[in-house]
Amino acid sequence: MSDNDGKKTLGLGGSRPSNVKQSFSHGRTKNVVVETKRKRVVVPKPGAAKPTAKPTGPIGGDPSKRPAGISDVELERRMKALANAKAREAEETAKREAEEKERAAEREARRAEIEAKEAEDKAREERAKAKADEEERKREEAAKAKAVADAPPAAASVPGETAVSRPTAAPRKTDRGSDDRDKGGKSKPGRGGDDGRRSGKLTLNDALTGREGGRQRSMAAMKRKQDRARAKAMGGSVEREKIFRDVALPEAITVSELANRMTERVADVVKALMNNGIMATQNQTIDADTAELIIEEFGHKVVRVSDADVEDVIQAVEDKPEDLKSRPPIITIMGHVDHGKTSLLDAIRNAKVVAGEAGGITQHIGAYQVTTDSGAVLSFLDTPGHAAFTSMRSRGAQVTDIVVLVVAADDAVMPQTIEAINHAKAANVPMIVAINKIDKPSANPDKVRTDLLQHEVIVEKMSGEVQDVEVSAITGQGLDNLLEAIALQAEILELKANPDRAAEGAVIEAQLDVGRGPVATVLIQNGTLHQGDIFVVGEQYGKVRALINDKGERVQEAGPAVPVEVLGLNGTPEAGDVLNVVETDAQAREIAEYREKAAKEKRAAAGAATTLEQLMANAKENENVSELPIVVKADVQGSAEAIVQAMEKIGNEEVRVRVLHSGVGAITETDIGLAEASGAPVFGFNVRANATARNTANQKGVEIRYYSVIYDLVDDVKKAASGLLSAEIKEKFIGYASIKEVFKVSNVGKVAGCIVTEGVARRSAGVRLLRDNVVIHEGTLKTLKRFKDEVPEVQSGQECGMAFENYEDIRPDDVIEIFEREEVERNL
């Protein structure tokens, strides 16, 4: 190995080093000069030891080219380590190549053995066929001889003539029972022969029907019996023709599943594994390389697949133009909170939904279908307008065809209005502006149109392309015009879908119902969902047990653009998941398990610190941060998601809210146990705790709070988190005093004779000593005297004596600054 290689391995920075020069003077190293492409650095080496001898040979190398600061012993140790590493690497490479060659030779030997076996089987079949032809010919000759012998002789009745004995024909084998008789002609016991014995168990059905003879043989069994008889007559057993298959092989597979995919017996697969030195039962998992070896040993072909290939059954099928049919439009009502979105939808539906909402605001996505007077069917989605429900509004914009932006005429454009505009633009869907509350005296629709110009929404009355309609949810004014505008926009879009295919839809909302289990509100986007369909949705799967429309009626199917509640899930899906119908329950389970595993790995990777630096950084970051842990349970998935997102926004660099667990459904004893272990309160949003959970909470002192309006919950959490903030300390200057003279008093020390020039001097206040406007000491007063008396305070213009606590470096003309500290409570 050359010196350059040594430099590359052991040089500065781990890469090819720059030219390193060392100069020797009287056996002592002076300076080390390191030349790089960018700059020249001189590193002084004072006190370097005098080398005893110049190293020579391949290990020592030229001293002038050796990196600085490395002794002969260290260099020799490094070179030996490098040589050992290279030797090990070469040895491992040779070992791997030998193993690959050996494995290839084994495969070739197996293939040759299989081919030889096939050739032998073919030759045996030809021999058996020739033998069968020969026996058939002999049988025909015997039959002819028998026919001649059976003919009646003419002289048989002549007395005194000797009768000629005939050859007795061999008993002919029949299809049933002949194989079950032994040489003596008796039926074998227990085999259901001709003696009428019953074969198999006596069932109630056989006893009642009086059927004799036991179970009836199937056609396949009779054919197999005939094949065995024919093979026995030929003098040898005929093996079935082996079918070689393409076996899909994932990264890991159980032994029983491998045998099933190869259509081989599990015992044979286990035996093959044992022959290869692997002791595994049918329920154990083996890796892909081992499984590939076994598959090739049985003669099958390996097709490697990844875990993600299980989702290939869900394929986007391109619909033919002739299969597409018109579907109802999906309209999403969006806008700021309390601008009248739900009231407007109530007026269209002639229902009173807003009366049932807590606080008069919508906190779920409502999905409704409305039939207008003209017969047109419209599907409406009502989204919440509160700031916390950003994700719900985003989902509503993604699954919709038309967005109706509701703006109050007496309130104009607000923050959630702007957010709804951004969601609609991001989803690239057309927008219709509904200017609501036009019946109010303070209504100013022109101000709404003008404010929308700032956000690039130009309505038709301002010479734009966006339709705008003035409506009133209270009086019903303009509702017909709004429906006409929606119908016109839907006609322009030419919305079509294929109802005759597997259903695909989006989960609008999901909840855990006490009586019905997990329930998902799904908007069908393509195809038709039937009762009994097997589906997968996100990390959950199930079979459609029931479909319920927006009126609470059970239906048998749901076509495109129809919102329905789906019952029959194995768990509560996430809002926004996509529902796909698959063929079998096994496919649905496999896809759901793969998605759950992938999501778990993703969450683990996101929350894990992989390096020591990250661990230390996280520990340092969390060192001075106070946490408020909470447990959240909500009635639906969308509300739980909105609450968690709102909690993440509460806090600053000193305090933050940590959601230990969020879920859907009633508060259970498990939630109370988690809260008790972490010292956290439990917040229930439109849900209640069951009796067991209430008793446990009372025993363990866990606080449970119930809410029905989201901003009440957010405000309470903010107040609780504010209590963790340290109080802010504010200083209030109350006076200044100037030192006129310094006296030395026994048992006291130096005392400053002062005059209060401004404000007041207090005994309990803090003081700073200023010299030439520079703070040289900060502390407290040891004494404050007026004449000979200790006083609590001295007013401006009066003289006094002051002595500092543990400080005596005071001089005339110094200034004493007097201040008080007060704590100010902080809020988030």
Side-chain angles (χ1 to χ4, degrees), residues 131-443:
K131 188 175 181 181
D133 293 341
E134 180 67 23
E135 288 184 359
E136 186 68 23
R137 186 179 59 78
K138 291 180 179 179
R139 196 177 296 115
E140 289 176 357
E141 292 177 357
K144 290 179 182 179
K146 179 183 177 185
V148 173
D150 289 340
S157 60
V158 179
E161 195 169 309
T162 306
V164 180
S165 62
R166 299 183 201 144
T168 304
R172 188 175 55 188
K173 292 185 178 180
T174 58
D175 288 340
R176 292 189 59 185
S178 59
D179 287 341
D180 296 329
R181 295 179 178 274
D182 56 10
K183 294 181 180 179
K186 296 180 181 180
S187 176
K188 294 182 181 180
R191 299 291 294 173
D194 293 337
D195 59 350
R197 289 198 177 193
R198 176 176 49 83
S199 173
K201 294 181 179 179
L202 176 64
T203 62
L204 182 63
N205 189 31
D206 293 342
L208 293 176
T209 56
R211 188 173 67 184
E212 295 181 359
R215 293 176 294 182
Q216 299 297 319
R217 285 180 179 267
S218 64
M219 292 298 296
M222 295 178 66
K223 186 178 178 182
R224 286 195 299 271
K225 189 171 183 179
Q226 290 175 358
D227 292 341
R228 285 197 299 270
R230 192 179 300 113
K232 190 173 182 181
M234 292 180 182
S237 60
V238 179
E239 295 184 1
R240 284 187 305 167
E241 183 180 356
K242 187 175 178 65
I243 301 174
F244 299 102
R245 306 177 184 276
D246 292 341
V247 181
L249 181 61
E251 295 298 324
I253 189 171
T254 60
V255 175
S256 58
E257 179 64 20
L258 178 62
N260 186 28
R261 294 187 182 188
M262 293 192 300
T263 63
E264 303 283 355
R265 294 196 314 157
V266 178
D268 295 339
V269 178
V270 173
K271 184 178 179 181
L273 286 169
M274 289 183 176
N275 292 337
N276 285 275
I278 300 170
M279 300 296 175
T281 63
Q282 62 177 357
N283 296 323
Q284 287 183 345
T285 303
I286 58 176
D287 61 294
D289 294 335
T290 305
E292 181 178 0
L293 190 66
I294 299 302
I295 292 170
E296 291 179 349
E297 185 172 335
F298 280 92
H300 301 287
K301 185 179 178 182
V302 178
V303 179
R304 286 287 190 119
V305 296
S306 64
D307 292 341
D309 292 341
V310 298
E311 292 189 318
D312 289 346
V313 296
I314 305 174
Q315 295 178 350
V317 181
E318 290 292 335
D319 296 317
K320 298 178 181 179
E322 58 269 18
D323 296 335
L324 298 177
K325 298 178 182 178
S326 298
R327 66 168 177 84
I330 302 170
I331 304 104
T332 300
I333 309 293
M334 303 178 74
H336 192 70
V337 63
D338 202 27
H339 274 202
K341 299 181 296 300
T342 308
S343 301
L344 185 62
L345 186 56
D346 293 347
I348 296 174
R349 298 177 60 221
N350 295 323
K352 292 291 181 183
V353 177
V354 72
E357 295 286 356
I361 65 169
T362 301
Q363 303 183 105
H364 313 112
I365 289 185
Y368 314 102
Q369 204 163 37
V370 177
T371 303
T372 62
D373 295 336
S374 61
V377 180
L378 308 175
S379 296
F380 282 95
L381 297 180
D382 183 18
T383 61
H386 192 271
F389 295 96
T390 303
S391 299
M392 286 193 184
R393 285 191 292 276
S394 175
R395 279 197 297 276
Q398 287 169 359
V399 300
T400 191
D401 301 315
I402 302 170
V403 168
V404 175
L405 182 66
V406 179
V407 187
D410 61 340
D411 200 11
V413 176
M414 298 299 285
Q416 270 64 62
T417 311
I418 301 169
E419 183 189 297
I421 293 171
N422 294 333
H423 285 320
K425 288 181 178 179
N428 196 22
V429 292
M431 190 187 311
I432 299 173
V433 178
I435 304 175
N436 195 20
K437 302 185 181 181
I438 200 69
D439 57 314
K440 286 196 172 184
S442 58

Side-chain angles (χ1 to χ4, degrees), residues 1-4 6 53-66 72 75-76 79:
M1 185 175 62
S2 64
D3 293 338
N4 290 334
K54 292 184 179 181
T56 57
I59 294 178
D62 189 358
S64 62
K65 296 181 180 180
R66 185 189 310 162
D72 297 343
L75 181 59
E76 183 177 359
M79 297 302 289

Side-chain angles (χ1 to χ4, degrees), residues 27-81:
R28 293 186 178 270
T29 305
K30 295 192 296 183
N31 291 333
V32 177
V33 182
V34 181
E35 293 181 357
T36 63
K37 292 182 179 179
R38 295 184 179 179
K39 59 184 180 179
R40 177 183 177 94
V41 182
V42 179
V43 183
K45 298 292 290 184
K50 180 179 178 181
T52 55
K54 292 184 179 181
T56 57
I59 294 178
D62 189 358
S64 62
K65 296 181 180 180
R66 185 189 310 162
I70 297 178
S71 64
D72 297 343
V73 177
E74 178 66 16
L75 181 59
E76 183 177 359
R77 186 184 64 79
R78 293 190 183 186
M79 297 302 289
K80 285 183 178 179

Side-chain angles (χ1 to χ4, degrees), residues 649-698:
K649 296 177 182 177
I650 297 176
N652 53 20
E653 65 277 1
E654 295 183 30
V655 63
R656 65 186 175 194
V657 179
R658 180 184 173 200
V659 181
L660 297 175
H661 171 67
S662 65
V664 177
I667 300 171
T668 62
E669 189 177 3
T670 306
D671 301 325
I672 301 299
L674 176 61
E676 191 264 339
S678 305
V682 180
F683 294 97
F685 186 77
N686 287 332
V687 295
R688 294 294 181 268
N690 55 34
T692 309
R694 286 197 301 271
N695 295 335
T696 307
N698 292 333

Side-chain angles (χ1 to χ4, degrees), residues 413 448-459 462:
V413 176
V448 173
R449 298 186 179 100
T450 307
D451 289 349
L452 289 173
L453 291 174
Q454 302 176 8
H455 307 286
E456 300 178 0
V457 178
I458 307 171
V459 298
M462 307 288 287

